[in-house]
Amino acid sequence: LVAILIGALWNAHLTRKRDKLLRQEEVSALRAALAGELAAAMELTAGRLFQVGTVGNGLSGPMLQALKPPDLVLWPKLCDRLGWLDGALAAQVIKAFSLLEWQMCVLRACVDEAAQGNFDGPRNRRRREMFARDMRMWKQTIAALGGELPEGLLLPEYGV
């Protein structure tokens, strides 16, 4: 009877240890996925915002439509797992993706304005400045998640 009790306790210990390792792997995968999507979407949105903001009405209608912001694929599916991260990091990730979604809406508006012939250089420059300001926070979030930062300048006129 004692041997069965000891065996059961040892089995419970091993199960907890295995579960802890699995959770750590899941958290690591979550961090990598969030960092990867944030970096890719930031880079794509920056490039598209730069193109629309500098060329504007000089682009054809189909080309302008191709410059609309990318869709976030992983973020909507991973939101319910943010509790696996520590509180401060989870809050930082939420803020980063919220700002990114806002900037994607701004890009969509820029594309629509250019398509309608309402290109305004100074207004678009201010929008790129706002994007460049937010990029610093996105890069900090990507680094905090342990992700790879995009290389090179995404918005060369602002040094970011």
Side-chain angles (χ1 to χ4, degrees):
L1 187 61
V2 173
I4 293 173
L5 179 61
I6 290 173
L9 290 173
W10 182 250
N11 188 38
H13 166 73
L14 292 177
T15 300
R16 283 192 303 275
K17 187 175 179 180
R18 183 204 65 207
D19 290 349
K20 182 179 178 183
L21 288 174
L22 287 173
R23 180 54 57 111
Q24 288 173 345
E25 289 176 11
E26 289 173 351
V27 169
S28 179
L30 173 67
R31 292 169 66 112
L34 290 171
E37 178 148 69
L38 185 59
M42 177 187 72
E43 192 170 12
L44 286 170
T45 305
R48 293 170 183 188
L49 187 64
F50 181 77
Q51 287 179 322
V52 172
T54 55
V55 180
N57 292 342
L59 296 169
S60 68
M63 188 60 200
L64 279 169
Q65 294 309 309
L67 293 176
K68 287 208 171 180
D71 291 329
L72 295 174
V73 177
L74 298 175
W75 169 244
K77 297 175 183 172
L78 298 176
C79 290
D80 61 340
R81 296 185 184 142
L82 288 178
W84 295 357
L85 305 175
D86 68 74
L89 182 57
Q92 185 177 356
V93 168
I94 291 168
K95 181 178 180 182
F97 275 98
S98 296
L99 280 174
L100 181 60
E101 288 176 333
W102 162 249
Q103 290 292 354
M104 291 171 135
C105 289
V106 170
L107 172 58
R108 193 171 289 110
C110 290
V111 168
D112 291 343
E113 288 171 352
Q116 296 168 3
N118 296 329
F119 179 77
D120 182 345
R123 179 178 58 214
N124 285 314
R125 179 168 174 72
R126 286 190 303 275
R127 290 172 178 168
R128 291 192 310 274
E129 288 170 359
M130 287 180 4
F131 190 92
R133 181 198 65 218
D134 291 342
M135 281 180 67
R136 290 174 182 86
M137 195 273 296
W138 292 324
K139 287 181 176 182
Q140 291 170 352
T141 303
I142 293 166
L145 288 167
E148 296 287 323
L149 294 174
E151 293 185 21
L153 298 176
L154 303 179
L155 292 173
E157 63 197 296
Y158 304 106
V160 293

